[in-house]
């Protein structure tokens, strides 16, 4: 290993990704890949805490993997893999489960939320979800984890579990920290800009799916909810315009101020079209690369197989150490 720090992150394959995922995660990950040892995982095992259609799960998993690559993450320089291909994740999760408390797990906001809205399927995987996530992170001597605000609590519990284990057995796990990048704006729903842009929005006009086509992107932006004024400025109470300004500034790398100046005196219609066009321009290379990868599925397979091999090698080392410390007899 070199002396770069290790970064680990993952996305669940339970649905398609949105513009928010791209601007908030993928695009930033691609920028980290030369300065860190990056390990990016498609966490298919986490996805089954919610019932999945098998064919759809297979398709989503591949789709996300291809989107990692289409966003510019290089599979040779980094490790890109699928969680279920590396059995050490499930194995370490069992062990760490015996070092995690019911009390701390029941305090997880995400568990409370998810168990609140899927009454018919409050399975134990939903409850132990953070333990599997802790295993993901701890297997790879991870220094930094780029995560959004909603995952901070899971990273906290990962640190607690690791510290608890270390205090019994010595320095087994590296204690990971959150990676705080340049704070990207939170991308809000286009139909209700007081809510975060979400793929589970029942109104499809609320979100831009990363694989929407150009016409759809344009149509959704033209319908974006704004306000009854006619001023393109960033100001409290102008949630719709603020969101469009944030999006425009994120995809063009211009500041909000520059954008305000550029559109001074212009109408909302013109502005919405400009935002749509800028987003299309930003996504075009991703779409092109995605299409190319879809036509070259052998290469994609090669990348995730090679990724799983690299990841297994690292993960097995950690798992072996853990087993030895606990008192399990080595099989070989
Ligand atoms: N729980 C994360 C999410 O829903 C996904 C995830 C699983 C993850 N394991 C991880 C993120 C490890 C970072 C590191 O967004």
């Amino acid at each position: 290993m070199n002396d770069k720090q290790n970064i680990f992150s993952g996305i669940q394959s339970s649905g398609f990704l949105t513009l928010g995922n791209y601007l908030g995660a993928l695009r930033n990950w691609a920028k980290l890949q030369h300065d860190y040892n990056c390990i990016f995982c498609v966490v298919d095992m986490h996805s089954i805490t919610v019932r999945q259609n098998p064919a759809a799960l297979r398709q989503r998993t591949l789709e996300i993997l291809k989107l990692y690559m289409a966003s510019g993450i290089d599979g040779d320089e980094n490790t890109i893999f699928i969680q279920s291909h590396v059995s050490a994740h499930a194995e370490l999760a069992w062990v760490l489960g015996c070092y995690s408390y019911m009390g701390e797990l029941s305090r997880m906001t995400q568990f409370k939320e998810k168990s609140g809205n899927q009454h018919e399927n409050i399975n134990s995987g939903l409850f132990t979800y953070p333990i599997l996530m802790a295993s993901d992170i701890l297997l790879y001597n991870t220094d930094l984890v780029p995560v959004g605000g909603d995952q901070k609590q899971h990273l906290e519990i990962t640190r607690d579990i690791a510290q608890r284990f270390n205090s019994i057995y010595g320095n087994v796990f590296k204690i990971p920290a959150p990676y705080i990048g340049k704070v990207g704006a939170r991308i809000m729903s286009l139909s209700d800009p007081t809510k975060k842009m979400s793929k589970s929005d029942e109104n499809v006009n609320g979100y831009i799916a990363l694989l929407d086509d150009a016409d759809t992107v344009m149509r959704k932006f033209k319908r974006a909810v704004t306000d009854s004024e006619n001023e393109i400025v960033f100001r409290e109470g102008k949630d719709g315009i603020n969101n469009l300004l944030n999006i425009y500034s994120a995809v063009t790398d211009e500041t909000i101020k520059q954008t305000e100046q550029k559109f001074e005196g212009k109408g909302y219609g013109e502005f919405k079209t400009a935002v749509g066009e800028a987003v299309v321009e930003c996504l075009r290379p991703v779409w092109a690369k995605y299409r190319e990868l879809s036509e070259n599925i052998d290469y994609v397979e090669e990348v995730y197989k090679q990724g799983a091999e690299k990841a297994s090698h690292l993960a097995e080392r950690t798992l072996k150490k853990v087993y030895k410390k606990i008192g399990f007899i080595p099989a070989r």
Side-chain angles (χ1 to χ4, degrees):
M1 267 293 201
N2 51 40
D3 54 7
K4 291 181 188 171
Q5 286 190 304
N6 302 328
I7 281 195
F8 184 99
S9 201
I11 297 182
Q12 284 197 55
S13 39
S14 46
F16 50 82
L17 301 188
T18 68
L19 179 64
N21 294 111
Y22 180 68
L23 297 176
L26 291 177
R27 188 174 74 154
N28 306 330
W29 294 2
K31 291 181 193 155
L32 298 170
Q33 60 184 330
H34 310 297
D35 302 325
Y36 298 90
N37 299 315
C38 291
I39 305 180
F40 297 125
C41 181
V42 183
V43 292
D44 55 346
M45 289 162 73
H46 279 102
S47 306
I48 62 165
T49 50
V50 175
R51 204 66 78 227
Q52 302 288 335
N53 169 298
L57 179 61
R58 260 189 294 275
Q59 190 196 330
R60 295 294 187 213
T61 302
L62 262 190
E63 194 173 287
I64 294 177
L65 194 102
K66 285 189 280 177
L67 281 170
Y68 282 8
M69 296 166 70
S71 303
I73 299 165
D74 182 305
D76 292 322
E77 197 175 344
N78 308 277
T79 305
I80 304 178
F81 75 105
I82 297 167
Q83 186 185 30
S84 61
H85 291 181
V86 179
S87 59
H89 291 246
E91 294 169 273
L92 183 61
W94 168 255
V95 172
L96 294 184
C98 302
Y99 297 80
S100 311
Y101 297 118
M102 303 285 286
E104 59 188 347
L105 291 168
S106 13
R107 284 194 292 275
M108 293 295 114
T109 315
Q110 187 170 308
F111 172 68
K112 287 195 253 179
E113 269 173 25
K114 289 207 174 166
S115 55
N117 54 30
Q118 58 181 65
H119 288 289
E120 70 296 344
N121 184 17
I122 306 179
N123 59 73
S124 62
L126 209 52
F127 187 67
T128 55
Y129 181 110
I131 303 174
L132 181 58
M133 177 160 162
S135 306
D136 297 343
I137 296 168
L138 297 174
L139 279 172
Y140 300 98
N141 291 319
T142 303
D143 294 283
L144 297 167
V145 186
V147 281
D150 62 334
Q151 296 298 314
K152 286 252 169 71
Q153 204 184 22
H154 287 162
L155 190 55
E156 274 308 310
I157 198 175
T158 299
R159 292 164 55 92
D160 291 344
I161 296 169
Q163 268 153 354
R164 185 175 303 143
F165 195 93
N166 283 357
S167 73
I168 308 173
Y169 300 104
N171 251 344
V172 179
F173 296 122
K174 190 180 272 181
I175 309 298
Y179 175 84
I180 318 282
K182 215 175 67 185
V183 269
R186 244 159 68 98
I187 305 298
M188 311 302 278
S189 160
L190 298 180
S191 54
D192 177 0
T194 60
K195 289 192 324 208
K196 193 174 144 185
M197 182 180 284
S198 162
K199 61 193 175 210
S200 34
D201 200 330
E202 66 272 11
N203 184 350
V204 296
N205 291 317
Y207 57 80
I208 303 291
L210 207 39
L211 295 172
D212 272 347
D213 60 29
D215 289 342
T216 309
V217 172
M218 290 308 295
R219 184 166 42 75
K220 289 182 178 177
F221 274 103
K222 283 181 185 159
R223 289 197 186 161
V225 167
T226 49
D227 54 53
S228 54
E229 305 174 350
N230 57 4
E231 230 190 328
I232 302 167
V233 287
F234 197 98
R235 189 167 64 214
E236 172 136 28
K238 291 176 77 70
D239 295 325
I241 291 293
N242 294 350
N243 189 35
L244 293 177
L245 280 166
N246 273 331
I247 293 173
Y248 189 85
S249 143
V251 297
T252 59
D253 278 327
E254 284 178 21
T255 63
I256 300 277
K257 270 267 150 306
Q258 287 169 325
T259 312
E260 285 174 345
Q261 276 159 12
K262 189 188 248 171
F263 291 98
E264 201 180 334
K266 303 265 166 68
Y268 282 1
E270 193 178 332
F271 179 49
K272 288 185 197 177
T273 305
V275 180
E277 281 168 354
V279 168
V280 167
E281 280 327 299
C282 170
L283 296 183
R284 233 184 249 295
V286 179
W287 294 336
K289 189 84 196 290
Y290 185 87
R291 222 173 300 126
E292 205 181 288
L293 290 166
S294 300
E295 282 159 18
N296 195 354
I297 211 64
D298 290 349
Y299 174 64
V300 175
E301 242 173 63
E302 202 182 295
V303 166
Y304 71 66
K305 283 184 181 161
Q306 187 198 320
E309 230 170 84
K310 285 197 276 182
S312 289
H313 178 74
L314 297 168
E316 285 300 332
R317 283 216 317 235
T318 306
L319 188 68
K320 248 205 194 128
K321 201 152 89 178
V322 168
Y323 277 9
K324 187 166 166 214
K325 291 282 186 183
I326 299 175
F328 291 171
I329 291 174
R332 286 185 292 275

